Amino acid sequence: MIRLDNVSKFYYRKGMITSGISKVSLSLDIGEFVVITGESGSGKSTLINVISGVDSYEEGEMYVDGQETSHFSSEEFEDYRRRCIANIFQEFNLVSSYTVRQNVELILQVNGCSREEIDSRVPDIIERVGLAEYSSTRVSKLSGGQQQRVAIARALAKDTSIITADEPTGNLDSVSAAGIVALLHEIAKDKLVIVVTHNEEQFKEYATRIIKMSDGHVAEDLLLQTPEAEDRIHERDYGRIRPAVKLRIGVRNAFNIVPKFVLLLIVFLFIVFSVSSIYANLKTNSQARQAQGYNQYFTNYKDTRIVARNRDKSPLTRADYSRIKAVDGVKDLEKDDVLLDEMYYIENDSISVYGYPCSLSSLHGRLDIGTRPSDDSGVVLACAKSDLGENPESILGKTYTLQSDADTGAEEPMKVKIAGVRYTKSEAEAEGESDARIYLQEKQLASMRHAAYLRVSTVTTRAGTQSYRYTSAENMYPVVASSRVAAGGAMVPEELNGGYADGRARGKKLSIHVENMYFKKTCTLKAAGVYTGRSYKKLTGGQSMEESTSEIFINEKDYDKLFPHGNYQCSVYAADVHQVDRINRVLQKEGFKTLALKNALQGDQFGGVIDIIQVPLAILLLVAVFFISYFVIRLILRSRTSYFGILQMLGMARKDTRHLLEIELMTVAGIAGAVFLVLVHLLDAGIVPGSYLQNLAGQLHLRDDLILLAMLAVIACLIAGRFSRALSRKSAMSNYREEA
């Protein structure tokens, strides 16, 4: 049921064309035991390779069960070999790194046999060829004759209608050879057995037909006996290799040749270090540019700071603070956020401290000198030691003036007593990150908070027919709390007289309206008095009218109505800058409106240009890494070309071969990724030294790790795909013959 009609096969080597077979015409039927003989180079091996579909042909036509094969695709030839052909090769074509059993069961795995069928058939077949005691021995450790028996056992296991054997007894002793010939004769009763041999006499007793080849032609076709031919080829109902089997074989292939595994591991480590370095450098450069930026609304834009408020602009509650603190990665929370963008200072001949006010409740740990405050005026400083003069201990217990750097004139200086000091890690850190802090008590902070809200508010005072407006920019007519003024009253400057028809504000009503992004408040008062330059000090307690900004003094209770005590926004500090974006997303999911200051800085005008240049360069580097890695891996895998050629000869589909290669490379890539991640986190923890690698480790977190592993998997698949496509462009025999 195999018919060749003027079939020719040519080889192209070093610009020379040679003929393997030329104009061969044959008909072969099921039930025949065909022996092909001839001198070396006569074309007999080429003929059997063409018949079995492991090699292509260039001219003529080969029919299988009446079907033309010249138009067959590589996938159709794979299917033909898988369903119809069992091969016994002259070079054995065994997987030398596999055991005897693994080689025999491989053919059944390729054909989708179940584990139960494989376990029941393989031991019997191995025993039939006399290799039971070598079942778990690697083929590379067997003699030539024993390897030939493994090849025969593999062909027997496949149980197809056509068996092709190229010198099946060439490496066997006479006794073993006679047994193999008898075995082939036994199975030839319902099959087409085609044997290529130099020893015609060895097969003559059983052969139904002898074909002699010479110079690629059929020189003689001698019929010895007429077989009982079947009508057609009987195909076994074989399936495809199972996914679990592919996974098992692919993982096994990753480790079965140690030098190959080590070389591939080195290449994938190169890939993972290169890709991560490119990625980390992009992040580092971006962060460096951001750190050099500025924000016109915030003066304290530390890169770990996140400003948070309720979406409805309502005051933050204890429950809100608890939810924020519960977020993983949050290091500190400052309730008095509105104060964090104003510097306060204590300065005289012996001390000079500029810092941000913070709550004493956020101060943790030990102090370097002094103690926590025991009275309402006490504060704790956190600053560089050099800010405190030659004798820092001398400042303890002394009272100093704490003033705002805003200099609006609407806030009276505060008297504070220094109770304790904590030194910052370094003077450079304190200066570079503005890390100096002044820790105060709630009463002190409340007073500062009122003044801060005043600075971010627009205050409109309506006196008669005139309106007088205060903003931080205009800095006139601010509202000031004073104990000298009775509740419901106001001490106003003489300019407000002009708002009334009779030119007198005293005893008249006026309204004060405060508005900012968080609240609107209005209070109606009565002008209890009007001050002038002469009466300023007496009525208000101020020092000099020259320093006045025409303040409107009201009672402290009325002031509290206009400027509530509540906090409307807070600052959240991440443990490190790499966690800021994640914490920011979590807080937003929790219902807060947030702003990560590191993402709100305005850089220089060339920042966007740098990004435009850097990203394409990074992509080019990634492409370069891919192709360098591909060519190196391709060189390594060329030593495996014969293995994939064997799989093709056994009838494995091209896509299944690619899947095996993908699993093998992804296994090695996964190990390389795991080794890299372990090393990175050891570096990040400071267990293993290395400044560059520690910087690299600091840039990579869980999300980055997952992206990196995904990129490794993609690269492994791309390399496997390119290599498998290169294999598919050649015949199975060409791949097997390709030298490493």
Side-chain angles (χ1 to χ4, degrees):
M1 301 309 293
I2 301 290
R3 184 163 67 88
L4 281 69
D5 187 6
N6 292 319
V7 172
S8 299
K9 168 65 184 175
F10 303 106
Y11 294 104
Y12 304 87
R13 293 175 183 169
K14 298 181 180 179
M16 300 291 291
I17 300 176
T18 58
S19 176
I21 57 175
S22 179
K23 304 295 182 181
V24 172
S25 295
L26 284 173
S27 290
L28 307 170
D29 294 323
I30 298 297
E32 287 192 286
F33 192 130
V34 181
V35 176
I36 302 175
T37 65
E39 300 295 330
S40 296
S42 62
K44 56 185 184 299
S45 292
T46 301
L47 176 60
I48 201 172
N49 288 336
V50 170
I51 291 172
S52 59
V54 299
D55 218 345
S56 59
Y57 60 93
E58 281 71 46
E59 287 183 351
E61 185 65 76
M62 182 174 76
Y63 299 87
V64 177
D65 232 2
Q67 185 179 8
E68 295 179 353
T69 62
S70 58
H71 64 277
F72 270 19
S73 64
S74 58
E75 289 84 2
E76 288 172 315
F77 267 117
E78 289 165 359
D79 194 53
Y80 165 60
R81 292 193 299 269
R82 184 174 60 85
R83 293 183 294 103
C84 303
I85 303 294
N87 306 93
I88 303 171
F89 298 99
Q90 182 178 4
E91 296 89 355
F92 316 135
N93 292 8
L94 301 171
V95 183
S96 59
S97 59
Y98 283 13
T99 66
V100 171
R101 179 187 173 92
Q102 288 171 344
N103 270 278
V104 177
E105 70 180 8
L106 179 62
I107 191 67
L108 298 177
Q109 291 171 330
V110 168
N111 287 283
C113 294
S114 66
R115 182 78 258 173
E116 293 75 15
E117 183 180 356
I118 293 173
D119 289 341
S120 65
R121 291 180 58 195
V122 170
D124 292 338
I125 294 170
I126 294 175
E127 188 171 355
R128 288 179 69 184
V129 296
L131 292 175
E133 61 181 303
Y134 298 99
S135 180
S136 299
T137 303
R138 281 198 176 192
V139 166
S140 58
K141 296 182 179 180
L142 300 179
S143 66
Q146 290 171 327
Q147 291 186 32
Q148 185 66 285
R149 294 184 190 185
V150 177
I152 294 170
R154 185 177 62 188
L156 294 177
K158 193 170 185 183
D159 192 22
T160 55
S161 295
I162 303 172
I163 294 179
T164 63
D166 193 354
E167 298 287 358
T169 61
N171 296 288
L172 302 179
D173 58 75
S174 57
V175 176
S176 299
I180 293 300
V181 172
L183 184 59
L184 289 173
H185 173 255
E186 179 185 342
I187 64 176
K189 293 176 181 179
D190 60 349
K191 301 179 187 298
L192 169 59
V193 177
I194 307 171
V195 176
V196 169
T197 182
H198 284 93
N199 192 345
E200 179 183 338
E201 293 298 323
Q202 202 172 44
F203 291 88
K204 201 165 187 179
E205 179 183 352
Y206 303 105
T208 62
R209 184 175 174 184
I210 295 179
I211 298 172
K212 293 185 179 181
M213 298 291 295
S214 177
D215 294 329
H217 296 83
V218 176
E220 184 179 357
D221 188 351
L222 181 62
L223 181 64
L224 301 181
Q225 51 185 300
T226 302
E228 295 181 3
E230 297 280 340
D231 292 336
R232 60 184 291 106
I233 293 174
H234 296 288
E235 301 171 358
R236 286 202 55 160
D237 187 22
Y238 282 127
R240 295 286 186 185
I241 184 170
R242 302 184 177 195
V245 175
K246 278 195 287 190
L247 179 62
R248 188 165 65 249
I249 293 176
V251 173
R252 181 174 67 197
N253 287 347
F255 302 101
N256 64 348
I257 302 176
V258 175
K260 176 206 55 144
F261 168 74
V262 172
L263 289 173
L264 287 176
L265 183 63
I266 291 172
V267 174
F268 277 106
L269 283 172
F270 162 75
I271 293 173
V272 72
F273 272 99
S274 300
V275 172
S276 59
S277 296
I278 293 169
Y279 177 70
N281 283 333
L282 278 177
K283 287 185 67 175
T284 300
N285 293 338
S286 177
Q287 290 168 1
R289 289 195 304 277
Q290 287 179 347
Q292 295 172 358
Y294 67 94
N295 188 297
Q296 59 181 328
Y297 301 105
F298 297 89
T299 57
N300 176 11
Y301 35 82
K302 195 169 183 178
D303 56 8
T304 57
R305 181 185 175 192
I306 303 170
V307 178
R309 66 170 173 81
N310 283 320
R311 290 190 181 276
D312 61 359
K313 300 183 180 181
S314 61
L316 293 166
T317 64
R318 286 187 178 182
D320 294 328
Y321 294 137
S322 297
R323 284 194 296 144
I324 293 172
K325 289 179 179 178
V327 175
D328 182 45
V330 170
K331 182 181 180 182
D332 286 313
L333 185 149
E334 282 290 349
K335 298 178 182 179
D336 291 293
D337 171 88
V338 71
L339 301 178
L340 291 180
D341 292 291
E342 290 189 16
M343 296 285 284
Y344 281 73
Y345 63 92
I346 299 173
E347 188 172 36
N348 60 21
D349 293 339
S350 61
I351 179 173
S352 178
V353 176
Y354 279 71
Y356 297 106
C358 300
S359 172
L360 268 169
S361 62
S362 65
L363 178 65
H364 307 292
R366 299 175 58 184
L367 303 180
D368 291 293
I369 58 174
T371 61
R372 288 177 175 269
S374 57
D375 55 47
D376 292 341
S377 63
V379 300
V380 172
L381 303 181
C383 59
K385 189 175 183 179
S386 59
D387 292 340
L388 305 179
E390 296 181 358
N391 186 14
E393 287 82 358
S394 65
I395 68 171
L396 298 178
K398 292 184 178 179
T399 299
Y400 294 88
T401 300
L402 178 65
Q403 300 184 72
S404 170
D405 202 34
D407 193 25
T408 64
E411 185 177 359
E412 294 184 5
M414 182 183 296
K415 299 297 183 180
V416 297
K417 184 185 296 182
I418 300 176
V421 176
R422 173 184 288 172
Y423 300 133
T424 53
K425 292 182 180 179
S426 68
E427 185 174 349
E429 178 183 343
E431 181 179 354
E433 296 188 359
S434 298
D435 210 34
R437 294 286 187 268
I438 303 172
Y439 292 94
L440 302 106
Q441 299 174 77
E442 180 55 35
K443 186 175 180 180
Q444 298 165 318
L445 288 172
S447 174
M448 290 180 171
R449 197 181 305 126
H450 279 158
Y453 277 129
L454 173 63
R455 285 190 289 271
V456 298
S457 301
T458 297
V459 180
T460 303
T461 302
R462 182 75 179 178
T465 59
Q466 298 292 324
S467 294
Y468 303 86
R469 193 174 74 157
Y470 164 85
T471 66
S472 58
E474 296 173 3
N475 199 25
M476 288 294 288
Y477 308 108
V479 178
V480 178
S482 174
S483 58
R484 290 173 173 264
V485 181
M491 187 67 65
V492 300
E494 60 182 336
E495 293 99 305
L496 268 63
N497 287 330
Y500 299 94
D502 59 359
R504 298 184 61 182
R506 183 182 178 86
K508 304 287 184 11
K509 288 185 177 181
L510 62 119
S511 66
I512 301 175
H513 178 75
V514 175
E515 182 173 345
N516 56 44
M517 66 179 293
Y518 289 117
F519 57 80
K520 297 178 182 179
K521 300 288 183 180
T522 301
C523 184
T524 301
L525 305 170
K526 181 182 289 187
V530 177
Y531 65 83
T532 62
R534 293 182 179 181
S535 62
Y536 177 77
K537 184 174 182 179
K538 177 181 178 182
L539 295 178
T540 67
Q543 294 299 314
S544 171
M545 185 67 178
E546 294 179 0
E547 298 177 359
S548 171
T549 54
S550 299
E551 301 101 324
I552 298 172
F553 295 90
I554 64 176
N555 184 266
E556 293 171 340
K557 292 182 179 179
D558 295 324
Y559 193 95
D560 288 345
K561 293 178 183 178
L562 290 173
F563 298 97
H565 284 275
N567 280 319
Y568 292 85
Q569 69 182 39
C570 65
S571 278
V572 181
Y573 287 93
D576 64 74
V577 67
H578 308 299
Q579 300 189 56
V580 168
D581 291 332
R582 179 187 58 79
I583 294 172
N584 197 43
R585 290 192 298 271
V586 173
L587 290 175
Q588 289 174 356
K589 289 181 180 179
E590 288 287 324
F592 296 99
K593 180 75 173 178
T594 62
L595 176 66
L597 291 190
K598 76 179 186 66
N599 300 328
L601 301 182
Q602 299 175 3
D604 59 78
Q605 59 182 326
F606 300 108
V609 177
I610 293 173
D611 286 335
I612 292 173
I613 295 172
Q614 277 196 334
V615 173
L617 283 176
I619 293 173
L620 287 175
L621 286 173
L622 288 174
V623 173
V625 167
F626 169 77
F627 279 104
I628 291 171
S629 305
Y630 168 70
F631 287 119
V632 175
I633 290 176
R634 183 177 178 182
L635 288 174
I636 297 170
L637 290 180
R638 285 188 65 185
S639 64
R640 302 279 287 159
T641 302
S642 61
Y643 170 77
F644 294 110
I646 291 171
L647 295 180
Q648 286 178 288
M649 292 177 192
L650 298 181
M652 179 175 281
R654 182 177 64 179
K655 66 177 182 179
D656 293 326
T657 305
R658 186 184 74 246
H659 293 163
L660 283 181
L661 186 55
E662 287 173 347
I663 293 168
E664 180 177 348
L665 294 184
M666 287 179 68
T667 299
V668 181
I671 294 172
V675 170
F676 172 78
L677 293 180
V678 169
L679 178 60
V680 158
H681 289 292
L682 288 176
L683 288 163
D684 199 24
I687 299 173
V688 179
S691 57
Y692 171 76
L693 292 177
Q694 282 178 338
N695 175 61
L696 177 63
Q699 296 287 3
L700 300 176
H701 296 279
L702 179 59
R703 182 184 176 190
D704 303 315
D705 295 344
L706 294 176
I707 292 173
L708 189 60
L709 291 176
M711 290 183 67
L712 270 180
V714 170
I715 290 173
C717 289
L718 290 174
I719 291 173
R722 286 182 64 88
F723 189 75
S724 64
R725 285 194 295 273
L727 290 175
S728 67
R729 287 193 290 266
K730 302 176 184 177
S731 68
M733 185 55 67
S734 297
N735 285 322
Y736 180 77
R737 287 171 175 163
E738 186 174 319
E739 293 182 1

